[in-house]
Amino acid sequence: MKLLFDIGTKKELNAASHVLLIETGENHFAFAIAGYDDKLVKRVGYFLNETDDDDFISSLRQQYPFLNNQYFKKVNSCYLPDTLLLPAKFFKADDVQKIYEAVYGKGQQSLVSEPLEAWQVYFLYRQSAIFHNHPTDFLHAFAVTLKSVNDLQAENLLVDFKTDRFSVVAIREGKLLAAQIYSYTTGEDVLYWLLKICRQFSFSLQSVYVELGGLIEKNSAMYELLHQYFHTIHFSGTNGMKLAPELTEYPEHFFSSLYKLVSCVL
């Protein structure tokens, strides 16, 4: 595992009065520790999995014993690309396996059907062995995004960047249209998918509200490229969470997916 960030207090915290929020993807692991009572985010970490180790979390827990503490609550956000959105009106428990396998094929992992009643949708995805070996409460990353949205405009693209993947949630007039995770190498890769989504749903490049979060720098080449096409770009914030002083030295949007997860739990 490669450490990208470990920001905030390193002193021992009373785990019983704190929550541990985890985001796990195929190639990354991130965490935030927040006080349950004071709702203060006190530590954030971000790692890349650069090995073929399917259970890289075990290695992390050996290296960082505080991850094993008995926190007031532990919640894992699953950042998994092979996810199918199924409108609730079409959901039948006996059919979901067949529907999912028609799109993504058969697999050994168990299939999860995660409902999100407020949006009248189910997320179907295979739960990685990682989550079975390290059980916590869990939510799909898309559910975290949708549970924490504020001030939606008529047309919205909510985008979150990791080092080699990015997620997009498309919403129009309060209706979820699409949610997907893509791989990328260059800014052109990102632009291609965003423009394709806009064409598919007839979004106006002049008025669509684009929110950027995650590992993208303001005024970077990526940002400048996107700004050539999209006229209304904003960066994610803390979602109302308070931050330890060390965290305020970093752009708020860098860890916005973790802050959103904290807001869902607290």
Side-chain angles (χ1 to χ4, degrees), residues 15 74-75 112 124 133 158 168 179 193 217:
K74 294 182 181 181
V75 180
V112 175
L124 309 182
N133 297 338
L158 310 179
V168 185
W193 287 112
E217 293 273 6

Side-chain angles (χ1 to χ4, degrees), residues 9-212:
T9 182
K10 306 301 188 293
K11 68 180 181 181
E12 191 72 23
L13 297 171
N14 178 13
S17 62
H18 288 78
V19 293
L20 175 65
L21 297 312
I22 297 169
E23 181 181 84
T24 309
E26 293 178 318
N27 298 317
H28 80 279
F29 175 93
F31 73 85
I33 299 175
Y36 181 77
D37 293 323
D38 60 16
K39 295 178 173 54
L40 177 69
V41 182
K42 299 174 181 176
R43 186 172 181 178
V44 164
Y46 195 105
F47 302 83
L48 293 181
N49 180 24
E50 298 183 323
T51 71
D52 294 327
D53 184 4
D54 291 332
D55 193 10
F56 56 87
I57 295 180
S58 291
S59 301
L60 276 176
R61 285 186 164 175
Q62 291 177 11
Q63 190 173 356
Y64 299 92
F66 68 87
L67 294 172
N68 301 310
N69 292 346
Q70 296 300 312
Y71 291 89
F72 181 82
K73 197 167 189 177
K74 294 182 181 181
V75 180
N76 198 330
S77 172
C78 311
Y79 195 89
L80 302 174
D82 292 345
T83 301
L84 188 64
L85 275 65
L86 185 65
K89 63 182 179 181
F90 298 126
F91 178 84
K92 293 182 180 179
D94 294 339
D95 296 338
V96 293
Q97 188 84 24
K98 185 188 304 182
I99 293 172
Y100 185 88
E101 290 179 354
V103 178
Y104 293 112
K106 295 185 177 181
Q108 296 181 344
Q109 294 89 3
S110 59
L111 185 66
V112 175
S113 302
E114 182 180 331
L116 191 57
E117 293 182 5
W119 291 84
Q120 300 180 358
V121 68
Y122 279 79
F123 298 110
L124 309 182
Y125 57 96
R126 291 196 180 104
Q127 195 179 40
S128 167
I130 291 172
F131 304 112
H132 291 293
N133 297 338
H134 307 281
T136 61
D137 293 337
F138 60 89
L139 294 167
H140 196 283
F142 294 150
V144 174
T145 296
L146 292 168
K147 282 175 176 284
S148 56
V149 292
N150 293 304
D151 301 324
L152 284 174
Q153 306 300 309
E155 298 173 344
N156 307 265
L157 291 177
L158 310 179
V159 188
D160 180 75
F161 289 91
K162 309 308 177 190
T163 56
D164 61 354
R165 286 172 171 76
F166 71 100
S167 64
V168 185
V169 174
I171 302 170
R172 174 191 280 125
E173 302 292 351
K175 181 179 179 181
L176 176 63
L177 300 179
Q180 188 59 265
I181 295 174
Y182 302 97
S183 298
Y184 77 95
T185 304
T186 66
E188 286 75 13
D189 297 332
V190 176
L191 179 62
Y192 169 82
W193 287 112
L194 294 183
L195 292 178
K196 185 174 182 179
I197 291 171
C198 288
R199 286 195 299 269
Q200 181 179 354
F201 297 110
S202 300
F203 280 6
S204 166
L205 299 185
Q206 286 71 38
S207 60
V208 60
Y209 180 90
V210 180
E211 180 183 288
L212 303 181

Side-chain angles (χ1 to χ4, degrees), residues 218-230:
K218 293 183 179 179
N219 300 320
S220 63
M222 172 86 76
Y223 174 81
E224 294 297 335
L225 177 63
L226 296 179
H227 200 265
Q228 292 177 30
Y229 291 83
F230 298 98

